[in-house]
Amino acid sequence: MRAFEFLIEAEAPKKVGREFNHLEDLVFTEPSGAKRAVQILKSMAQDAKDVSVKWDGNPTVYWGRDDDGTFRMVGKNNWGREEGKSSSPEDLKQFIMSRGKGEDWREKFASDMASLWPTFEAATPKDFRGYIYGDILYHPGKPYQGGDGKISFTPNQTTYSVKGTSEIGRRIGKSQAAVAAHKHFDFFGDKTGDDISDVEMFNHSPALVVFGQTYVNHQPAVDADNLGAIEKAANNFSGAIDKLLAPTAGLSDLQTIIYTFVNNQSKAKALDSIDSKAFFTWLQGSKVSAPKQQKISQLSQQHPGALENLFYLVRELMKAKDEIIRELDSAEGDITAHTGGKPGGEGYMHGAHGVKLVPRDRWTPFRAD
């Protein structure tokens, strides 16, 4: 498949980044991306029904049934591996214990995952076929806290608080575990799953709470002060930015290089230093080859201002996005989140547009993000 894609690269260029990129990354991951990013923000003022919570669950789990009805449950490292195709809790524990380098946490993790097997199996209908991928939110090895008034759980970096008297709070109070379901796969090892929102069939067992796509119930005003200026800049600069990013001999991956730089600045908490000066300083110590670095410098000179305008749009879109995130975070609901002492969780997903709205100023991913 990769060879075929290479042959038709002009028609179907390789996607830069991830399946869901940060909204501001559209500036350099696709042609005229800044214009589309502005339109996404503006469209949210009219209709936010496709904006969902980006759950911060951990660990990842795949569970379901083969064509013959056999139930299986595996972790991230088992998925697609025949030797990890667990058919019992004991198989799952043994596979997890066989990986890694004897880390102190591994035995407890293996035991915790194996202990969840009967809970997930009981919640999976006998006639269900295929697999669900999700992230665990709490389980007996790391249970929720609280009771009737407020229930809380911290699966990773975000703490979720639930009104104990709400419908979902009462369900959680009777359960042993919860999982945020993301995708449905047709068979074990499938790589092309479909987003899943309707998880009702898995919620008939009181021991397990399965969340589907959890959509926001608040319509953001989207009155970011800088949105008009961003739209004007996007219209003025997109053409020059596209020319700068166009593949050239000896440099076909400038978008990926910029993507890596922006992620580096995010992880270093240096979001204010996403500019051309910081980029060239980072470039000198990066793994980018000297010939490519020279090509980038030449391109920057051939398209004066394009690189700086690109980073300006990234920074300004990030500010506008963060205003919307703050408004969504402050909306009252049955479930609220806090990360690092600040209101809000990992962020939100806009399914219809295939982007994520993540507050990079407070979010330091354990996984590459």
Side-chain angles (χ1 to χ4, degrees), residues 9-233:
E9 184 175 2
E11 296 180 23
K14 183 180 179 181
K15 179 176 174 61
V16 178
R18 293 176 171 268
E19 179 184 4
F20 282 79
N21 278 325
H22 293 276
L23 175 83
E24 61 272 17
D25 288 354
L26 296 182
V27 176
F28 54 84
T29 58
E30 62 180 57
S32 299
K35 293 182 180 180
R36 190 164 85 87
V38 169
Q39 292 308 309
I40 290 172
L41 291 178
K42 292 174 70 175
S43 71
M44 289 177 64
Q46 306 299 319
D47 187 358
K49 70 176 184 295
D50 285 317
V51 178
S52 61
V53 174
K54 192 175 189 294
W55 288 102
D56 177 35
N58 185 56
T60 293
V61 64
Y62 295 80
W63 83 94
R65 297 186 184 276
D66 288 339
D67 287 342
D68 63 1
T70 300
F71 177 82
R72 300 186 192 278
M73 177 177 158
V74 301
K76 186 175 182 179
N77 286 337
N78 304 54
W79 186 244
R81 295 175 181 267
E82 283 301 315
E83 72 273 22
K85 198 174 183 180
S86 306
S87 56
S88 70
E90 293 75 22
D91 284 350
L92 176 58
K93 181 176 181 178
Q94 183 178 358
F95 180 85
I96 294 173
M97 290 298 296
S98 71
R99 318 307 287 181
K101 300 178 181 179
E103 298 88 347
D104 293 340
W105 53 264
R106 186 167 293 278
E107 185 171 1
K108 182 180 185 304
F109 173 63
S111 296
D112 286 346
M113 289 290 285
S115 71
L116 287 171
W117 184 288
T119 302
F120 277 78
E121 183 174 15
T124 306
K126 298 289 186 182
D127 60 352
F128 176 76
R129 296 295 181 268
Y131 287 83
I132 302 299
Y133 147 67
D135 293 315
I136 295 175
L137 300 175
Y138 59 83
H139 57 89
K142 193 175 183 181
Y144 65 77
Q145 305 296 316
D148 293 341
K150 185 175 70 172
I151 294 171
S152 65
F153 47 92
T154 309
N156 197 8
Q157 297 183 70
T158 296
T159 296
Y160 297 96
S161 299
V162 183
K163 292 179 180 178
T165 55
S166 66
E167 180 181 354
I168 188 61
R170 289 192 293 270
R171 284 190 57 207
I172 289 173
K174 299 175 183 178
S175 70
Q176 297 176 4
V179 61
H182 304 308
K183 287 184 177 293
H184 171 266
F185 295 96
D186 289 333
F187 55 88
F188 185 83
D190 187 6
K191 303 296 185 183
T192 57
D194 298 317
D195 291 341
I196 182 170
S197 56
D198 185 1
V199 293
E200 184 59 30
M201 71 174 71
F202 302 105
N203 277 306
H204 294 291
S205 173
L208 182 67
V209 176
V210 181
F211 291 94
Q213 293 293 101
T214 306
Y215 294 95
V216 302
N217 54 13
H218 176 70
Q219 187 72 49
V222 193
D223 56 353
D225 296 336
N226 61 344
L227 197 53
I230 296 172
E231 184 171 24
K232 182 178 179 180

